[in-house]
Every structure is written in C-alpha cells, then in structure tokens.
Amino acid sequence: MKLTTATITLAFVALTSAQYDVESKDFRLVLSSKDSTVNGQTLSACHTGAAIESLCLSGKPSTSKPDPIAAATFRFNTSSNVETPSDGDVPGILTYKLNATPPIPSSLEFFYDPITNYALPLLFPGQGADTQTLAFDSKNLLNKQGYVNYKTSPPTAGNTTAYYRWYACQTYFSGYQYVNLVWALGEGKPETPGCAKVDVKRVFI
Ligand SMILES: *[C@@H]1O[C@H](CO)[C@@H](O)[C@H](O)[C@H]1NC(C)=O
Ligand SMILES: *[C@@H]1O[C@H](CO)[C@@H](O)[C@H](O)[C@H]1NC(C)=O
C-alpha cells in the first residue's frame, strides 16, 4: 500500500492525540500472594536487553540476579485528552525512568511469544502504539480493563470488566532469567511450573 502524506499525517495525529502526558506521583509496586516467598515482594527493573527491563521481584534470587536489588520507582501516566469510561477506571500507562544521562522515560509493553500462554511485561524507551494501557482500581490494584466477554459465543461486548491476571514466574527472555511479573493470557495459569498468583498494589512513596 502506498501511503499518502495525508494518511501519514492522520496516523500521526491519531498517535499524538493518545499521548499519556499527565504523570502521577512516584510509587512502588508491591505484591501480595498466598505464596509466602512472594508475598510483600516489591518489583524492580531488571536489565533484559539494551534499554529494556523486565519487572523482576526485588528479593527473589535467579540465574541473572543472584542477590536482592532495590525496588524501582514507577509512575502512571494518564492522558489529558482520553476520556475516562463511565464504567471503568482511568486508563494510563506504567512508566519508569531508566537511570542514564539524561534519564530515559520508558513505558510498559507486553511481549508475546505465540507458543506460550502468558505475556512478559517489558519496559521500553518512550511510548508508542504497542504501549500497554492499564488501570488502577479504588484499592490501588493494577488491572487490565476489557469490554469483550470471550466466554460467550459469539463474544459479547459492552460490559467493562477489570482483570487481574498477574503471576510471578521464572522467565526466560533473550538469555536473561529472572523471577518476573507476567500476565496470563486467558483464565488459566501460566504453563511454567511454580508460578504464584499475585496482586500488584501501588504504594505511593
Ligand atoms: C510521562 O509524562 C511526563 C509528563 O508529561 C513526560 O515527561 C514523560 O516523558 C512521560 N513518560 C513517558 C514514558 O512517555
Ligand atoms: C458485567 O460483567 C460482570 C462480571 O462478569 C457481571 O457481574 C455483570 O452482571 C455484567 N453486567 C451486565 C450489564 O452485563
């Protein structure tokens, strides 16, 4: 397809109008779980490629991180021009400033490997079309809102629901092995043995 300047300009306008430009105060992300080795753990940003980080559990040892590391500081960017759905929480993106000179504003995307049943959330520089929109509920729990119910045939749309499909799992990504926060695709548990169901809470600093 040949893209005209008008098409490109329109696409650019669409992209810029969805900018998440309103930054929240600093917070930590703290896990709660029935698994006592995971309960109370904070999330850190673990190096997993050039300017790419995964959300690893600060105190959980793994091949690529044998020792505990400091909890990361996160923010939640909402948009000054995206309307909040009347039946849902305010959508936004999870952001992090990668320590560099100058610091690199980064945001969360889901990385999908088609052969498994979970997505790996990763922090990448900037924000773009692949940045994952998320939300916090009234209890400060991180969730993903969906408005399509896939459990009916045909699927039914129109009822916004918050999903909390977070797990802590041993992961492998591009040679790096950590215990990371992951997102289960669908209702089941991630197929990797030993994953613990978790809730992810925002605690302002
Ligand atoms: C979040 O919003 C702030 C304020 O507009 C901006 O400086 C920062 O770059 C944004 N973060 C990302 C990852 O876009
Ligand atoms: C929306 O979904 C929730 C959760 O599945 C359900 O409890 C509620 O009854 C639904 N509401 C409507 C209007 O379908």
Side-chain angles (χ1 to χ4, degrees):
M1 185 177 78
K2 189 169 175 289
L3 290 177
T4 64
T5 310
T7 316
I8 291 164
T9 308
L10 272 176
F12 182 71
V13 168
L15 211 68
T16 49
S17 68
Q19 278 257 337
Y20 292 91
D21 52 356
V22 182
E23 203 170 46
S24 77
K25 294 203 180 89
D26 295 357
F27 56 85
R28 306 253 185 259
L29 290 173
V30 183
L31 305 185
S32 57
S33 175
K34 284 181 185 151
D35 181 328
S36 61
T37 72
V38 168
N39 189 41
Q41 286 276 330
T42 53
L43 294 179
S44 298
C46 273
H47 178 85
T48 195
I52 306 170
E53 304 81 46
S54 60
L55 301 182
C56 60
L57 276 62
S58 308
K60 285 288 259 186
S62 62
T63 309
S64 302
K65 184 181 75 64
D67 299 315
I69 61 169
T73 300
F74 298 100
R75 295 181 186 83
F76 190 61
N77 274 28
T78 52
S79 177
S80 50
N81 54 10
V82 166
E83 259 183 67
T84 302
S86 57
D87 56 348
D89 301 319
V90 184
I93 63 173
L94 189 72
T95 67
Y96 167 76
K97 278 201 180 90
L98 177 61
N99 195 5
T101 14
I104 304 169
S106 303
S107 59
L108 203 68
E109 290 181 18
F110 280 2
F111 167 79
Y112 304 95
D113 184 336
I115 65 161
T116 196
N117 63 345
Y118 68 86
L120 181 65
L122 295 174
L123 294 159
F124 285 94
Q127 56 173 282
D130 293 331
T131 304
Q132 185 62 58
T133 56
L134 296 167
F136 285 98
D137 68 13
S138 58
K139 294 175 181 157
N140 282 311
L141 295 181
L142 186 61
N143 66 75
K144 173 67 197 163
Q145 321 237 329
Y147 66 96
V148 179
N149 178 4
Y150 291 97
K151 294 178 81 183
T152 61
S153 185
T156 37
N159 187 4
T160 302
T161 307
Y163 296 86
Y164 302 86
R165 292 176 170 167
W166 305 111
Y167 287 81
C169 291
Q170 285 270 0
T171 68
Y172 178 97
F173 176 80
S174 140
Y176 292 93
Q177 288 173 273
Y178 297 109
V179 180
N180 274 324
L181 182 73
V182 310
W183 175 262
L185 296 172
E187 267 196 340
K189 219 180 151 165
E191 64 180 332
T192 305
C195 293
K197 181 76 190 81
V198 298
D199 274 327
V200 184
K201 188 174 183 171
R202 164 173 71 176
V203 178
F204 287 104
I205 297 169

